[in-house]
Amino acid sequence: MNEDVLCGLVEAVARRRDKAAFARLFQHFAPRLTAFMQRRGADPAAAQDLAQDAMLTVWRKAPQFDRGRATASAWIFAIARNRRIDVLRRERRPDPEILIFMQETNAPSAEAEMERSAFQSRLHATLAQVPANQLDILKKAYFEDLSHSDIAQQLGLPLGTVKSRIRLALIRLRGLLDSEDTP
Amino acid sequence: MTHHHVPSSLLFDYATGALSEGPALAVSTHLSYCGDCLAALGRLEEIGGVVLQSLAPAAVDSELLSRTLARLDEQGANERKPEPEDAANGTLPPVLRAHLGIGLKDARWRFAAPHVREARLTLGGPSHRASLLRVPAGRNVPRHTHRGVEYTVVLSGGFIDRGQAYRKGDFCAADPSVEHRPVAMDDAECLCLIVLDAPVLPMGRIGRLIAPFLR
Ligand SMILES: [Zn+2]
């Protein structure tokens, strides 16, 4: 399913509390979320519980989804990441919409929306071009929620090497880093 | 308009979920003020979306869907919008209010150093210390070093540290190697969030906690 279809399903859940749309989202994402939680160390039963929990959160929070700010898969990734932290570490992470505090442009423009889906499709295309040693570290970070220093320790690499590989991968994925950047 | 941003490696760890609660609070506080970093986070989360999509689907119980559908009606919709800025909480962004529990005016301000007052924030885990700090205009925090990294986000006013000016929303990370003496700007009291990325150690028989900048 492409991102436009997925975004439309989340919006149907938001506007009409559409259970059929939710079921389609569930069938697409629940097995992936289960795999995601397993990669992050949950056993199969716990991973399914976490996936279900994330999907119930999708149902509740659908009204806050805004395709100008995120694609459906990025939004669901952030929900799954936060739910896992909430449940397993008993720590809270802020809902994305709560961060929109002082920003001047609260409503994303039509251009932002275009940019978002264009960015997403460019990502799909460029991810394949990232060299293996960079991509492995990038995936490790996203799948296993390991920090830069955790990864360095686990792979027996200097921290600087891990930082530069992630940095190079992100540069390859285009415009992901701001030039103004300290350590 | 902020000028000192979250380092990209820290923002990356926030996006993947690897950052622990204290530093994550400092990052999300900066994100509340900084559209540039919020947009950068959005792009990192898009990578998360691509990575999630790229995963081989795992097997799930055949009745997981029906069990989930059966629970939808009890969920309701979460229409909650971020609360508007209210007078009692002054200039605090919503992410911080949740950790303060009460309004800024009613917070328990304690002596931290001459002229400096501190109000502790509640975190889920014990491994970090997060506080709000008020420093009167022109006053300084005593010279100090820290055991872990010290993260500071300015909430109002500003301060000068090692030749750099930090104003509302700006993010500052000081390594353990740094020895510094931040000074509040002359024009207004400086209110900031301080997070220490190191275990909190009790000191002395009465178990009083060491003020963050005296460690
Ligand atoms: Zn920033």
Side-chain angles (χ1 to χ4, degrees), chain A residues 60 71 89 93 120 142 180, chain B residues 3 17 19 46 50 75:
Chain A
R60 279 198 310 277
T71 60
R89 286 199 233 147
R93 288 296 178 276
Q120 174 71 264
Y142 276 97
E180 188 176 347
Chain B
H3 291 95
L19 211 57
E46 291 297 334
V50 172
Q75 300 294 318

Side-chain angles (χ1 to χ4, degrees), chain A residues 3-4 10 13-14 19-20 29 33 39 48 65 76 80 98 102 108 116 118-119 126 129 137 142 148 175:
Chain A
E3 281 296 338
D4 283 341
V10 177
V13 170
K19 289 184 182 173
F29 279 110
L33 288 170
R39 290 289 291 266
Q48 282 189 56
F65 174 71
I76 291 173
I98 217 173
M102 295 290 284
R116 182 59 58 197
F119 180 76
T126 44
Q129 298 162 18
I137 288 185
Y142 276 97
H148 280 75

Side-chain angles (χ1 to χ4, degrees), chain A residues 7-18 62-63 65 67, chain B residues 79:
Chain A
C7 290
L9 291 173
V10 177
E11 285 162 353
V13 170
R15 292 191 193 129
R16 301 190 295 277
R17 306 268 86 193
D18 183 333
F65 174 71
R67 70 159 81 195
Chain B
E79 308 264 5

Side-chain angles (χ1 to χ4, degrees), chain B residues 4-154:
Chain B
H4 296 278
H5 298 277
V6 174
S8 60
S9 57
L10 204 64
L11 193 64
F12 181 82
D13 288 346
Y14 181 89
T16 62
L19 211 57
S20 49
E21 193 182 18
L25 180 63
V27 170
S28 59
T29 299
H30 174 76
L31 292 171
S32 301
Y33 294 98
C34 181
D36 291 345
C37 285
L38 192 62
L41 174 69
R43 293 191 290 271
L44 292 168
E45 289 175 342
E46 291 297 334
I47 299 180
V50 172
V51 161
L52 177 64
Q53 293 272 39
S54 74
L55 274 171
V60 296
D61 294 348
S62 52
E63 70 280 22
L64 189 66
L65 173 58
S66 54
R67 284 208 310 266
T68 308
L69 287 173
R71 289 182 56 187
L72 292 185
D73 290 329
E74 74 197 41
Q75 300 294 318
N78 180 352
E79 308 264 5
R80 187 169 51 88
K81 293 264 186 303
E83 312 151 45
E85 208 173 324
D86 65 82
N89 274 310
T91 50
L92 288 192
V95 283
L96 276 182
R97 274 182 228 151
H99 290 272
L100 190 60
I102 45 172
L104 199 52
K105 273 191 293 202
D106 306 315
R108 285 186 43 214
W109 292 98
R110 313 187 304 186
F111 174 89
H115 309 294
V116 182
R117 296 292 176 272
E118 179 195 13
R120 293 286 300 275
L121 299 175
T122 323
L123 297 180
S127 63
H128 298 91
R129 178 182 176 123
S131 307
L132 298 180
L133 219 62
R134 327 171 78 125
V135 186
R139 296 289 183 175
N140 67 281
V141 167
R143 180 172 294 281
H144 65 283
T145 60
H146 355 80
R147 300 175 47 145
V149 183
E150 180 191 69
Y151 303 97
T152 306
V153 184
V154 180

Side-chain angles (χ1 to χ4, degrees), chain B residues 157-176:
Chain B
F159 68 90
I160 296 176
D161 186 19
R162 291 164 285 159
Q164 297 282 328
Y166 296 85
R167 295 174 195 282
K168 190 170 188 169
D170 279 339
F171 186 94
C172 174
D175 285 336

